């Protein structure tokens, strides 16, 4: 994985350090967020998500709505000895579904079967789509990473080896050193693909 910025190894070192798992989680979060505090009050979190005014930068509310309505991409873990993510054990799928009720008044489980049928799952029936993903992103397993099921040459997977979640969205050389070759390649494929789509 890349150097510069917080690495997976940095987070694992903190999360597996001796001591209280909640303290480890707080320390890892502070490292990743530049020592900025994260809201931990449930009501204030719900209030933040309930605000439908777009601030021009955050897409968090939109992502949570899509998860509640269509995707069901909940991040949860089980408690257990040796689990470095034990601090997350209180964040269950049920808790996240409760958030859907409180914020969006969505009480049913996400209709993932309908979403997959309508959008084609990995057998996409669209055109002019780029699918960036990184091998270090756990979400890549839910995406399109090769051309095996693509039925249209205008559908382009952009699978970048040893890159993390949303790495393609960062500016070139953002971490103060040259980007790895795979990121340079990914940026080029995306730029060329978008230019081609816009010229048609």
């Amino acid at each position: 994985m890349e150097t510069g910025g917080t690495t997976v190894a940095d987070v694992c070192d903190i999360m597996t350090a001796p001591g209280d798992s909640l303290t480890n989680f707080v320390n890892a979060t502070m490292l990743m967020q530049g020592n900025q505090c994260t809201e931990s009050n449930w009501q204030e979190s719900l209030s933040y998500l309930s605000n439908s005014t777009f601030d021009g930068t955050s897409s968090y509310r939109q992502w949570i709505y899509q998860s509640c309505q269509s995707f069901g991409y909940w991040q949860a873990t089980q408690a257990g000895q040796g689990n470095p993510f034990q601090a997350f054990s209180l964040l269950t799928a049920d808790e996240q579904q409760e958030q859907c009720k409180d914020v969006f008044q969505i009480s049913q489980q996400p209709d993932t079967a309908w979403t997959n049928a309508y959008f084609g799952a990995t057998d996409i029936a669209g055109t002019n789509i780029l699918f960036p993903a990184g091998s270090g992103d756990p979400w890549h397993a839910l995406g399109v990473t090769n051309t095996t099921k693509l039925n249209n040459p205008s559908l382009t997977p952009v699978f970048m080896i040893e890159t993390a979640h949303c790495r393609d969205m960062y500016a070139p050389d953002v971490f103060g050193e040259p980007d790895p070759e795979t990121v340079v390649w990914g940026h080029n494929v995306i730029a060329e693909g978008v230019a081609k789509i816009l010229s048609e």
Side-chain angles (χ1 to χ4, degrees):
M1 296 298 242
E2 297 178 56
T3 58
T6 303
T7 66
V8 172
D10 295 333
V11 174
C12 285
D13 286 346
I14 293 170
M15 293 297 290
T16 57
D20 180 288
S21 62
L22 182 58
T23 300
N24 293 349
F25 171 70
V26 169
N27 290 337
T29 302
M30 296 292 277
L31 174 69
M32 291 184 290
Q33 296 186 352
N35 290 322
Q36 297 294 314
C37 290
T38 299
E39 182 53 60
S40 61
N41 178 292
W42 182 252
Q43 285 307 107
E44 288 186 27
S45 295
L46 294 178
S47 177
Y48 172 79
L49 284 172
S50 297
N51 182 357
S52 61
T53 304
F54 181 53
D55 66 6
T57 58
S58 175
S59 60
Y60 186 62
R61 176 183 158 82
Q62 294 87 324
W63 173 252
I64 296 299
Y65 176 80
Q66 286 181 305
S67 292
C68 291
Q69 184 66 31
S70 306
F71 301 148
Y73 291 166
W74 307 133
Q75 296 175 356
T77 189
Q78 301 297 316
Q81 189 170 3
N83 181 350
F85 303 102
Q86 195 170 343
F88 289 113
S89 63
L90 297 176
L91 186 60
T92 65
D94 289 340
E95 289 295 325
Q96 293 181 52
Q97 191 63 42
E98 198 62 36
Q99 176 180 259
C100 296
K101 287 185 214 173
D102 292 346
V103 175
F104 302 111
Q105 292 73 52
I106 297 173
S107 56
Q108 74 278 5
Q109 293 289 322
D111 193 350
T112 55
W114 178 90
T115 300
N116 286 331
Y118 184 80
F119 291 106
T122 56
D123 188 16
I124 306 294
T127 59
N128 296 327
I129 304 170
L130 299 157
F131 299 96
S135 65
D137 179 1
W139 297 111
H140 85 267
L142 299 169
V144 177
T145 58
N146 60 54
T147 59
T148 302
K149 290 192 174 187
L150 298 181
N151 55 17
N152 185 312
S154 74
L155 303 176
T156 308
V158 186
F159 190 55
M160 295 169 282
I161 304 301
E162 295 188 351
T163 60
H165 183 65
C166 293
R167 180 56 179 91
D168 59 293
M169 298 175 78
Y170 287 98
D173 305 328
V174 70
F175 295 116
E177 58 186 56
D179 286 331
E181 287 181 30
T182 189
V183 173
V184 173
W185 170 82
H187 280 168
N188 288 338
V189 171
I190 292 167
E192 291 167 10
V194 170
K196 183 175 184 267
I197 292 167
L198 293 175
S199 71
E200 295 176 348

Coordinates of all heavy atoms in Angstrom, one line a residue, residues 64-73 106 109-116 119:
I64 N -25.9 7.2 3.2 CA -26.7 6.5 4.2 C -28.1 6.3 3.6 O -28.6 5.2 3.8 CB -26.7 7.3 5.5 CG1 -25.3 7.4 6.1 CG2 -27.7 6.7 6.5 CD1 -24.7 6.1 6.5
Y65 N -28.7 7.3 2.9 CA -30.0 7.0 2.3 C -30.0 5.9 1.3 O -30.8 5.0 1.4 CB -30.5 8.3 1.6 CG -31.8 8.1 0.9 CD1 -33.0 8.1 1.7 CD2 -31.9 7.8 -0.4 CE1 -34.2 7.8 1.0 CE2 -33.1 7.5 -1.1 CZ -34.2 7.6 -0.3 OH -35.4 7.3 -0.9
Q66 N -29.0 5.9 0.5 CA -28.9 4.8 -0.5 C -28.7 3.4 0.2 O -29.3 2.4 -0.2 CB -27.7 5.0 -1.5 CG -27.9 6.0 -2.5 CD -26.8 6.2 -3.4 OE1 -25.6 6.4 -3.0 NE2 -27.0 6.1 -4.7
S67 N -27.9 3.4 1.3 CA -27.8 2.2 2.0 C -29.1 1.7 2.7 O -29.4 0.5 2.6 CB -26.7 2.3 3.1 OG -25.4 2.5 2.5
C68 N -29.8 2.7 3.2 CA -31.1 2.4 3.8 C -32.1 1.9 2.8 O -32.9 1.0 3.0 CB -31.7 3.6 4.5 SG -30.8 4.1 6.0
Q69 N -32.2 2.5 1.6 CA -33.2 2.3 0.6 C -32.9 1.1 -0.3 O -33.7 0.3 -0.6 CB -33.4 3.5 -0.2 CG -34.5 3.4 -1.2 CD -35.9 3.3 -0.6 OE1 -36.1 3.8 0.5 NE2 -36.8 2.6 -1.3
S70 N -31.6 1.0 -0.7 CA -31.3 0.1 -1.8 C -30.2 -0.9 -1.5 O -30.2 -2.0 -2.0 CB -30.9 0.9 -3.1 OG -31.9 1.8 -3.4
F71 N -29.1 -0.5 -0.8 CA -27.9 -1.3 -0.8 C -27.8 -2.2 0.4 O -27.3 -3.3 0.3 CB -26.7 -0.4 -0.9 CG -26.6 0.5 -2.1 CD1 -26.0 1.7 -2.0 CD2 -27.1 0.1 -3.3 CE1 -25.9 2.6 -3.1 CE2 -27.0 0.9 -4.4 CZ -26.4 2.1 -4.3
G72 N -28.1 -1.6 1.6 CA -27.9 -2.4 2.8 C -26.4 -2.6 3.1 O -26.0 -3.6 3.7
Y73 N -25.5 -1.7 2.7 CA -24.1 -1.9 3.0 C -23.8 -1.5 4.4 O -23.2 -0.4 4.6 CB -23.3 -1.1 2.0 CG -23.3 -1.5 0.6 CD1 -22.8 -0.7 -0.4 CD2 -23.8 -2.8 0.2 CE1 -22.8 -1.1 -1.7 CE2 -23.8 -3.2 -1.1 CZ -23.3 -2.3 -2.1 OH -23.3 -2.7 -3.4
I106 N -37.6 5.0 7.0 CA -37.5 3.8 6.2 C -37.5 2.7 7.2 O -36.4 2.5 7.9 CB -36.3 3.8 5.2 CG1 -36.4 4.9 4.2 CG2 -36.2 2.4 4.6 CD1 -35.2 5.1 3.3
Q109 N -36.3 -3.5 5.5 CA -34.9 -3.7 5.1 C -34.7 -3.3 3.6 O -35.7 -3.2 2.8 CB -34.7 -5.3 5.1 CG -34.7 -5.8 6.5 CD -33.5 -5.4 7.3 OE1 -32.4 -5.3 6.8 NE2 -33.6 -5.1 8.6
P110 N -33.5 -2.9 3.3 CA -33.2 -2.5 1.9 C -33.6 -3.6 0.9 O -33.4 -4.7 1.2 CB -31.7 -2.2 1.9 CG -31.3 -2.1 3.3 CD -32.3 -2.9 4.1
D111 N -34.2 -3.2 -0.2 CA -34.6 -4.1 -1.2 C -33.4 -4.4 -2.2 O -33.4 -4.0 -3.3 CB -35.8 -3.6 -1.9 CG -36.5 -4.7 -2.8 OD1 -35.9 -5.8 -2.9 OD2 -37.6 -4.4 -3.3
T112 N -32.5 -5.2 -1.7 CA -31.3 -5.4 -2.5 C -31.6 -6.3 -3.7 O -30.9 -6.1 -4.7 CB -30.2 -6.1 -1.6 OG1 -30.7 -7.3 -1.0 CG2 -29.7 -5.1 -0.5
A113 N -32.6 -7.2 -3.6 CA -32.9 -8.0 -4.7 C -33.5 -7.1 -5.9 O -33.1 -7.3 -7.0 CB -34.0 -9.1 -4.3
W114 N -34.3 -6.2 -5.5 CA -34.8 -5.2 -6.6 C -33.7 -4.4 -7.2 O -33.6 -4.2 -8.4 CB -35.9 -4.3 -6.0 CG -36.4 -3.3 -7.0 CD1 -37.5 -3.5 -7.8 CD2 -35.9 -2.1 -7.3 NE1 -37.6 -2.4 -8.6 CE2 -36.7 -1.5 -8.4 CE3 -34.8 -1.3 -6.8 CZ2 -36.4 -0.3 -8.9 CZ3 -34.6 -0.1 -7.4 CH2 -35.4 0.4 -8.4
T115 N -32.8 -3.9 -6.3 CA -31.7 -3.1 -6.8 C -30.8 -3.9 -7.8 O -30.5 -3.4 -8.8 CB -30.8 -2.6 -5.6 OG1 -31.7 -1.8 -4.7 CG2 -29.7 -1.8 -6.1
N116 N -30.5 -5.1 -7.4 CA -29.7 -5.9 -8.3 C -30.4 -6.3 -9.6 O -29.8 -6.2 -10.7 CB -29.2 -7.2 -7.6 CG -28.2 -6.9 -6.6 OD1 -27.4 -6.0 -6.7 ND2 -28.1 -7.8 -5.5
F119 N -30.7 -2.8 -11.7 CA -29.5 -2.3 -12.2 C -28.6 -3.3 -12.9 O -27.5 -3.0 -13.4 CB -28.7 -1.5 -11.1 CG -29.4 -0.2 -10.7 CD1 -30.0 -0.1 -9.5 CD2 -29.4 0.9 -11.6 CE1 -30.7 1.0 -9.1 CE2 -30.0 2.1 -11.2 CZ -30.6 2.1 -10.0

